[in-house]
Amino acid sequence: MAESVILEEEIDEDYEPTEEEVVEYAQWLGMDPIKDRHLFYIAREGLKAPLPEPWKPCRTHDGEIYYFNFESGESVWEHPCDEYYKKQFQEAKIAHANKAKAPLGAGSSKTAAKKEKEKKQSSASSSYSKSDTSNPAIPSSLGALKPVKGAPLKAVGLGSKQDDPLIRIENEKKLKTFKENCERTHATTMKEIEIEGKKKISQARSTHQDDMENLKKDLRTTKTDQEKNLRSEVEDDYKRRLDAAKQEHDAKIQRAREDVEYENERRLRKARDVIE
């Protein structure tokens, strides 16, 4: 089974996203590259925001990046900060639209807009500073995967199958599902064998009753010793057939049980080999 690589975010204090990166992330947040250009400072702050603890970036065997919370066991494709900056953009856009409707003086309009921008930048920067690792706005839903923010990531080690929490959880779920399927299959097989056995016993009893009725008819017509012997033979034959039917039924049940137990053991060994 493929293993995940746990990555570590290297923080570059001098990192500045390119204009192309800012535009791409702004569009991902829902901004219009022309109408919302005055709000690009939110996208810039989002690209520079560090990954909050206890989240760690991880890479799958095929190169996909996801984020894993080592306290809650939660994994997401989106950067944990993305939902926060989406909300920042929506609030800033609404505030800008409301201010545009309220008339201001020529001098005070530019000053108020500048102060509002500085306030939003300060709020976005402080909410995800290095010292703040308990942000409650971390999303829990999966979303479109996008590149990890900031400087490049480096691998800090390959986790073993036992150490990787995602693989361990996945293996436990698969083993549980496999056991449940084996139990259902065993129960179904035993029920089918039991129904078939009851059906054969019922058929044998019905045949015996028919034979006995025929024998009674014959006995009514004659009381000879030959007829008595015939009755005894019929009864003996019935007993032999009934015993044979029971033995055959018991043998089939025993063989079915052994086959099911052998198959379950073989599948369990195969599942353990796959997990190990």
Side-chain angles (χ1 to χ4, degrees):
M1 185 176 291
E3 301 173 0
S4 296
V5 179
I6 303 174
L7 305 174
E8 184 175 297
E9 191 174 27
E10 295 180 340
I11 304 300
D12 184 358
E13 300 293 343
D14 299 326
Y15 169 72
E16 284 293 336
T18 64
E19 187 64 24
E20 182 180 353
E21 291 174 335
V22 173
V23 172
E24 181 181 357
Y25 186 46
Q27 290 179 314
W28 191 87
L29 291 176
M31 297 186 193
D32 186 289
I34 298 176
K35 296 180 181 179
D36 299 324
R37 198 168 189 83
H38 60 289
L39 300 176
F40 274 16
Y41 68 90
I42 297 177
R44 190 178 301 276
E45 289 293 335
L47 288 171
K48 295 172 67 176
L51 189 65
E53 294 290 344
W55 291 88
K56 288 287 185 181
C58 301
R59 184 174 64 234
T60 63
H61 68 282
D62 54 358
E64 296 288 347
I65 302 297
Y66 66 96
Y67 303 91
F68 185 78
N69 188 314
F70 281 83
E71 287 186 0
S72 64
E74 177 186 7
S75 61
V76 296
W77 290 109
E78 287 188 2
H79 193 287
C81 298
D82 288 344
E83 192 67 23
Y84 171 79
Y85 286 100
K86 284 181 180 179
K87 185 177 180 181
Q88 286 289 306
F89 160 61
Q90 295 296 335
E91 291 177 353
K93 186 173 182 179
I94 293 174
H96 180 76
N98 292 337
K99 284 189 175 295
K101 295 178 182 180
L104 295 173
S108 61
S109 177
K110 294 182 179 180
T111 302
K114 184 177 180 180
K115 288 183 178 180
E116 178 65 21
K117 181 177 180 181
E118 292 175 351
K119 180 179 178 181
K120 291 295 182 180
Q121 287 177 330
S122 175
S123 173
S125 177
S126 61
S127 296
Y128 280 95
S129 63
K130 294 181 181 178
S131 60
D132 183 8
T133 59
S134 59
N135 174 45
I138 295 175
S140 59
S141 59
L142 296 178
L145 180 63
K146 69 182 189 60
V148 179
K149 303 184 183 74
L153 298 172
K154 67 177 181 179
V156 297
L158 288 172
S160 65
K161 293 180 180 179
Q162 291 80 10
D163 295 335
D164 192 317
L166 295 181
I167 294 178
R168 185 174 66 253
I169 293 172
E170 181 182 357
N171 288 342
E172 290 175 354
K173 290 182 179 178
K174 287 183 178 180
L175 183 59
K176 182 179 179 181
T177 301
F178 176 75
K179 288 181 178 178
E180 291 176 350
N181 291 338
C182 289
E183 291 174 356
R184 283 195 295 269
T185 301
H186 175 72
T188 302
T189 303
M190 295 304 298
K191 186 175 182 180
E192 291 175 353
I193 293 173
E194 183 180 358
I195 293 174
E196 182 180 359
K198 289 181 178 180
K199 183 178 180 181
K200 288 188 175 182
I201 292 175
S202 177
Q203 290 176 349
R205 288 176 177 172
S206 178
T207 302
H208 170 67
Q209 290 176 355
D210 292 340
D211 292 341
M212 293 303 294
E213 289 296 329
N214 293 333
L215 182 59
K216 288 178 180 179
K217 290 179 182 178
D218 293 338
L219 290 175
R220 290 190 188 102
T221 59
T222 180
K223 299 288 185 179
T224 63
D225 295 336
Q226 183 179 5
E227 293 175 1
K228 294 180 180 179
N229 294 334
L230 179 61
R231 179 176 181 179
S232 178
E233 291 176 359
V234 170
E235 290 178 346
D236 293 338
D237 181 65
Y238 163 72
K239 290 180 181 179
R240 287 194 300 270
R241 283 189 290 176
L242 184 60
D243 292 339
K246 289 181 178 179
Q247 291 176 0
E248 182 182 3
H249 170 65
D250 293 338
K252 285 187 176 181
I253 291 179
Q254 182 62 29
R255 286 197 299 272
R257 286 175 179 170
E258 293 174 353
D259 292 342
V260 170
E261 290 175 357
Y262 173 79
E263 184 64 15
N264 288 347
E265 182 64 23
R266 185 183 69 81
R267 291 183 180 178
L268 286 174
R269 285 199 301 269
K270 185 176 180 181
R272 292 192 187 103
D273 292 341
V274 172
I275 293 173
E276 295 175 355

